Amino acid sequence: MVGLVGCSTADGGPGTAESKAVSQQRFLSELRDAAPDSVYSKDEQLIATGERVCEELAAGSDLEELGARDPAENLTDETVERIRITQALASEHLCPDAA
């Protein structure tokens, strides 16, 4: 499993490796349910993306700002929606204190 740096867990505080793993699993499970095309990405890639969201939130961005960014012109509407779902779920499960 990929560790989280600077993010707290949904179970509170920096937590143990076990609580981080639980938070990561919740993130992945809900992401796969909400965005079925995420099945084409590896768990490690999705967690790394979630961690980047956490870094941006910790740096002062909020989900509204992240969601308002203009996506690249070549992204489909479905991809843009998956990005927004990923951002919201990362905020909820990987770093709830950063949002």
Side-chain angles (χ1 to χ4, degrees):
M1 281 263 152
V2 176
L4 298 177
V5 178
C7 291
S8 62
T9 66
D11 298 324
T16 64
E18 182 179 339
S19 64
K20 288 180 185 178
V22 169
S23 294
Q24 289 174 343
Q25 193 55 47
R26 287 179 185 153
F27 166 73
L28 291 170
S29 177
E30 289 191 29
L31 180 57
R32 298 224 189 270
D33 287 344
D37 64 333
S38 65
V39 72
Y40 300 109
S41 298
K42 294 180 180 183
D43 290 354
E44 295 81 9
Q45 293 170 309
L46 296 172
I47 290 170
T49 300
E51 289 175 341
R52 283 192 295 277
V53 170
C54 290
E55 290 168 4
E56 293 200 35
L57 293 172
S61 295
D62 63 29
L63 284 177
E64 194 170 311
E65 290 173 332
L66 293 177
R69 291 186 180 163
D70 291 328
E73 290 182 29
N74 61 344
L75 296 179
T76 65
D77 289 342
E78 292 81 11
T79 300
V80 171
E81 181 64 17
R82 182 170 42 87
I83 290 168
R84 292 189 175 135
I85 290 167
T86 302
Q87 291 169 338
L89 291 173
S91 170
E92 180 180 344
H93 294 293
L94 301 180
C95 52
D97 294 336

